[in-house]
Amino acid sequence: MRAADRAAAEVVGARGPLSVGQGGPIAATAASATVGLGMPGSGPPPDGPFDAHHPPDAALVGDCVHCGFCLPTCPTYVLWGEEMDSPRGRIDIMKGALEGDAFGASSVRHLDQCLGCMACVTACPSGVQYDKLIEATRAQLERRVERPRSERLLREAVFAVFPYPRRLRALRGPLRAYQAAGLGRLLARSGLLDRLPGPLRAMESLAPKLGRTRPLPPCVPARGARRATVGLLTGCVQGAFFPDVNAATARVLAAEGCEVVVPQGQGCCGALSAHAGREPEALGFAKRVIEAFEGARDGAGVDAVVVNAAGCGSHLKEYAHLLRDEPGWPERAAALAAKVRDITELLDELGPVAERHPLPMAVAYQDACHLAHAQRVRDQPRRLLRGVPGVELRELAEAEICCGSAGTYNLLHPEPAAELGARKARAVLATGADLMVTANPGCWMQVATTLAGMGERMPVAHTVQVLDASIRGVPVERVLARALDGPGTALPPVRPAGARPPRGGAPE
């Protein structure tokens, strides 16, 4: 680590060289990430790198003074030590493109490899709005860069399924049958699983255990005196694969005096699409969500829109920026965005009225990037967890480093995602906690699956599920058992018969 970088890291409280990775061993994916970048179908657009529709703002680009404070918190720089895979390096690429430099394959690769975790936004003393810059740049890449055919097909497949709750629900039946029949184990024994492309192997391993779903009613009445009327965003992956989290959210809100309205037909919020640069798609999703919540309670609306998935919450709070050019929509978008609260934000604002019963256990709280960095919600979930009698909260080392999920990143870039997942899993294990708690379905799947692949299956739950169990007086043994083997949990890894699980490294 250079002296300037070390000084910057000390100021923001980042880790030293060995624990962060700078000056230490370089990750296994460094060679493929930084050498022979190989995107054979990619090339510069014929008439310039950026079009006129919202290119990255030159003034925001100019805010970066290249101080290096971002370096120790950037996952890809931590992995590879490559300047162009740091926020300031990517900003240099954007600056060059604004000045007319054509996108080469390496430039596109460096920009694609950004996880969008926004840890750099937290670390930056100059207030650089990297979130706005990378989102604008990705929209340009999506329009202007011709990707290899295999990459285009993968992206189209991912975005044809994940933002559509009905399609995800349709997948539940075949996936449950696949899991019940043990077909994954059969594929592993035959060797076919190892022959699948990395993204398909990642999809297979990340699929959580599925249970029965019970749709939420359109309205859940408050218990006791009504303190607020809130709308609940049910989400795509959250609703299809983690329905227990939505059910727990509704129960806790009702117990705390909130009438919970679940708008029908709300659909995807557009977060995955927006973060990938698929702007027209994201605009359509956002408009439908706004209409759904505006129409709640026969058009009377709600006091707050509650979100229990970090990526969705951060995106909804940016609706006014997303819809700034759409005639008739900016005011409506701003009105909805002003009501958006993460579930922990709202509960912390309201203060507890429901009795908490003891849950004697140690909890490792893992900050979801889009909750901690994008929404700046850090203290609220910790206060709520500490408010449960018997809960001992334990912090993770390298809490600012992303787990590698990052929306669709672990599907599009499975190798570096696996390395980051292993890094996070080791940090969780080092706490010696009984339970890992997080606030995002992607983080849940990424870390739980990585732990299972390391031979260290561990109970994982959402913050609101811990609160729900405490309010309902569920015994701690049941809480931990369900968090290990209930719906949404990681399945034991599939391996050929006789294979020993790896310990302390990345999953197979």
Side-chain angles (χ1 to χ4, degrees):
M1 181 188 269
R2 296 178 304 180
D5 294 345
R6 184 180 295 108
E10 289 171 353
V11 170
V12 297
R15 316 300 169 205
L18 293 181
S19 60
V20 173
Q22 296 170 262
I26 297 297
T29 50
S32 61
T34 60
V35 179
L37 296 169
M39 293 179 63
S42 298
D47 53 346
F50 290 144
D51 61 32
H53 180 66
H54 294 312
D57 189 326
L60 298 185
V61 167
D63 286 340
C64 178
V65 297
H66 290 68
C67 66
F69 278 56
C70 59
L71 300 182
T73 65
C74 175
T76 49
Y77 185 78
V78 162
L79 282 182
W80 305 318
E82 166 62 43
E83 176 68 22
M84 302 315 289
D85 279 308
S86 74
R88 69 183 186 183
R90 293 179 176 116
I91 288 174
D92 264 351
I93 295 173
M94 298 172 198
K95 180 181 179 182
L98 286 170
E99 294 171 351
D101 293 346
F103 283 131
S106 61
S107 298
V108 174
R109 182 64 174 265
H110 290 309
L111 292 166
D112 278 349
Q113 286 177 161
C114 172
L115 287 94
C117 69
M118 305 310 152
C120 57
V121 176
T122 297
C124 181
S126 302
V128 175
Q129 297 180 52
Y130 182 83
D131 51 341
K132 298 290 193 298
L133 291 173
I134 192 65
E135 191 165 304
T137 301
R138 284 193 162 150
Q140 293 280 340
L141 295 180
E142 190 68 16
R143 293 193 298 271
R144 309 284 286 167
V145 170
E146 183 72 14
R147 299 182 184 278
R149 183 172 180 272
S150 59
E151 190 175 336
R152 290 199 310 272
L153 291 175
L154 172 61
R155 286 172 178 264
E156 289 303 319
V158 167
F159 287 99
V161 175
F162 284 90
Y164 297 94
R166 288 183 181 177
R167 297 176 192 179
L168 286 173
R169 287 195 294 270
L171 283 177
R172 285 180 52 86
L175 186 55
R176 284 190 74 183
Y178 173 88
Q179 292 176 352
L183 294 180
R185 215 165 285 280
L186 183 63
L187 286 174
R189 289 195 185 100
S190 69
L192 291 176
L193 198 59
D194 290 336
R195 298 178 190 175
L196 293 175
L200 291 181
R201 289 201 307 273
M203 288 184 195
E204 198 279 341
S205 67
L206 286 165
K209 183 177 180 179
L210 298 179
R212 294 181 179 178
T213 60
R214 295 182 180 86
L216 290 172
C219 183
V220 179
R223 284 169 47 188
R226 187 176 68 183
R227 305 166 74 192
T229 298
V230 304
L232 176 61
L233 184 84
T234 51
C236 303
V237 173
Q238 193 83 290
F241 293 145
F242 298 89
D244 285 8
V245 174
N246 283 339
T249 302
R251 285 194 297 266
V252 170
L253 287 168
E256 297 290 12
C258 295
E259 178 186 17
V260 183
V261 177
V262 184
Q264 303 303 295
Q266 56 184 272
C268 176
C269 71
L272 290 179
S273 301
H275 296 159
R278 300 168 69 92
E279 184 183 359
E281 195 173 80
L283 288 170
F285 287 140
K287 290 174 182 178
R288 284 192 285 275
V289 167
I290 293 170
E291 289 172 336
F293 280 92
E294 285 178 340
R297 300 173 66 214
D298 297 323
V302 293
D303 301 322
V305 175
V306 177
V307 187
N308 55 24
C312 300
S314 69
H315 181 58
L316 264 71
K317 290 179 179 180
E318 295 294 326
Y319 266 10
H321 177 74
L322 176 69
L323 292 160
R324 62 195 181 279
D325 291 337
E326 300 295 295
W329 286 96
E331 296 79 10
R332 296 167 70 180
L336 182 115
K339 294 181 177 182
V340 175
R341 297 288 187 277
D342 181 74
I343 177 62
T344 61
E345 258 186 308
L346 182 69
L347 294 173
D348 188 65
E349 288 174 10
L350 289 173
V353 294
E355 181 185 358
R356 267 58 168 170
H357 298 91
L359 286 175
M361 60 183 179
V363 168
Y365 179 73
Q366 190 252 327
D367 282 293
C369 292
H370 275 84
L371 192 60
H373 301 305
Q375 299 186 60
R376 307 294 176 94
V377 175
R378 299 183 185 85
D379 295 336
Q380 296 92 324
R382 288 172 168 83
R383 278 196 292 267
L384 292 169
L385 290 168
R386 290 192 180 104
V388 175
V391 165
E392 177 195 345
L393 197 61
R394 297 184 182 176
E395 298 291 346
L396 274 63
E398 292 189 345
E400 70 278 6
I401 301 294
C402 182
C403 69
S405 172
T408 58
Y409 191 89
N410 52 2
L411 303 180
L412 301 177
H413 304 276
E415 291 84 7
E419 290 171 338
L420 291 168
R423 196 180 189 105
K424 184 66 71 176
R426 288 193 293 269
V428 171
L429 289 174
T431 67
D434 303 305
L435 174 74
M436 188 192 103
V437 171
T438 189
N440 201 58
C443 303
W444 179 329
M445 290 189 288
Q446 174 79 351
V447 181
T449 301
T450 304
L451 285 164
M454 293 164 58
E456 301 280 2
R457 291 185 74 232
M458 183 176 184
V460 180
H462 191 285
T463 311
V464 78
Q465 290 178 299
V466 176
L467 300 177
D468 177 52
S470 175
I471 290 170
R472 292 193 294 136
V474 179
V476 68
E477 295 80 12
R478 266 181 57 197
V479 173
L480 295 175
R482 190 167 181 82
L484 182 65
D485 288 311
T489 56
L491 294 165
V494 291
R495 295 187 187 86
R500 297 183 64 184
R503 294 180 66 87
E508 295 177 328

